Amino acid sequence: MLQAAPLKRSIIVKKATKKRVKRREWTKADIKDLKVHSKARTPVIKIAKITKRTIGALRQKALHLGIGLGHQR
């Protein structure tokens, strides 16, 4: 009696593609808006959604400009 060898099934795994970083220059209008939000003490999460920038990017720019950011400072 011959037994059939078990079939080897290969699993195809998709290679994860990295999301590309899209860098945008800071315009004078962007900086003006950031300063307005700083004075109004708008939460950083809200500013990030409005400006479509990351929280880290906003904090770095505020640090560079020498302004505080967020409602808790």
Side-chain angles (χ1 to χ4, degrees), residues 32-48:
K32 188 177 178 183
D33 287 343
L34 188 62
K35 287 181 179 181
V36 168
H37 284 297
S38 174
K39 281 209 186 263
R41 293 183 179 259
T42 310
V44 183
I45 295 170
K46 218 175 206 178
I47 302 170

Side-chain angles (χ1 to χ4, degrees), residues 41-56:
R41 293 183 179 259
T42 310
V44 183
I45 295 170
K46 218 175 206 178
I47 302 170
K49 287 179 184 176
I50 293 167
T51 59
K52 295 182 182 175
R53 293 184 186 268
T54 63
I55 294 170

